[in-house]
Amino acid sequence: MSDDHTHVQEFFTARAADWDRRFPDDGPAYAAAVAGLGLRGGERVLDAGCGTGRALPPLRAAVGASGVVVGADLTPAMLEAAVTAGRDRDGQLLLADVAALPLRSRSLDAVFAAGLIAHLPEPESGLRELARVVRPGGTLALFHPIGRAALAARQGRRITPGDLRAEPNLRPLLERSGWHMTSYVDEDARFLALAVRAD
């Protein structure tokens, strides 16, 4: 396992048990972001870097009983917290690196990724892997329950010009990775970039 992966696992392992208690009011923001994907009953969706699985209930509601919901995360402690919260009832949990998914190419209709891009050691490679598992015309939602400025303030830092989630950086990154950005919102209450898988 690379040092980057070890760092990510250590960061989230230390926070897994208290994660949901630290951010108790994010549920409506997750539900609104999932709605932005425009999922239909029977579709197949991945929550990439699912953490404690907060997106799994709205994803399940969107695709219904006939749909497939998979939550993949690199950190066992986060998946254990998802099970403790009962969210494994809404989707299959998978211990996996989202940059090397054990899924067939073009097997999904959509990917939801909350807070993921900042934790990818190689963002372009990771986004390309997400594109691999989604059918042409499928969708991607890059989400965070607060915007870039609010997150930077919470963390006591400033936004830098190199921030991957800034629209001038994110749009070409997505294009190089097999995605076409269709929508971009960065406001205090949420960050949501939507993209479509290129043919």
Side-chain angles (χ1 to χ4, degrees):
M1 181 177 299
S2 73
D3 289 342
D4 287 324
H5 287 146
T6 301
H7 173 74
V8 168
Q9 281 189 324
E10 288 173 352
F11 178 89
F12 285 108
T13 296
R15 293 161 176 80
D18 294 325
W19 192 261
D20 288 349
R21 282 193 291 275
R22 289 178 61 205
F23 309 108
D25 303 321
D26 287 348
Y30 273 78
V34 167
L37 274 173
L39 293 166
R40 296 187 296 268
E43 290 194 319
R44 298 153 302 183
V45 60
L46 169 69
D47 183 0
C50 67
T52 62
R54 290 181 292 173
L56 297 180
L59 288 170
R60 172 56 66 198
V63 302
S66 62
V68 173
V69 178
V70 176
D73 202 276
L74 185 66
T75 306
M78 292 299 260
L79 295 176
E80 289 165 14
V83 171
T84 299
R87 296 183 185 126
D88 56 321
R89 292 189 295 266
D90 293 305
Q92 178 185 350
L93 298 177
L94 186 62
L95 179 63
D97 178 358
V98 299
L101 290 162
L103 300 172
R104 292 188 325 272
S105 296
R106 302 183 175 199
S107 61
L108 301 173
D109 298 293
V111 174
F112 182 86
L116 175 70
I117 194 166
H119 298 288
L120 291 174
E122 297 178 14
E124 186 172 335
S125 176
L127 289 168
R128 193 175 296 118
E129 174 67 354
L130 296 181
R132 180 188 67 79
V133 299
V134 173
R135 64 170 172 78
T139 52
L140 168 69
L142 298 176
F143 166 72
H144 200 282
I146 60 176
R148 292 185 313 122
L151 181 62
R154 176 192 285 175
Q155 296 173 342
R157 60 177 177 82
R158 294 175 186 262
I159 295 177
T160 64
D163 184 344
L164 284 179
R165 291 170 298 163
E167 185 173 10
N169 300 329
L170 185 58
R171 185 178 295 277
L173 173 62
L174 286 166
E175 293 286 345
R176 292 192 307 270
S177 306
W179 299 97
H180 173 70
M181 187 189 291
T182 58
S183 175
Y184 181 90
V185 176
D186 181 17
E187 53 196 25
D188 282 351
R190 70 172 174 159
F191 174 91
L192 181 63
L194 298 175
V196 172
R197 169 73 164 88
D199 292 340

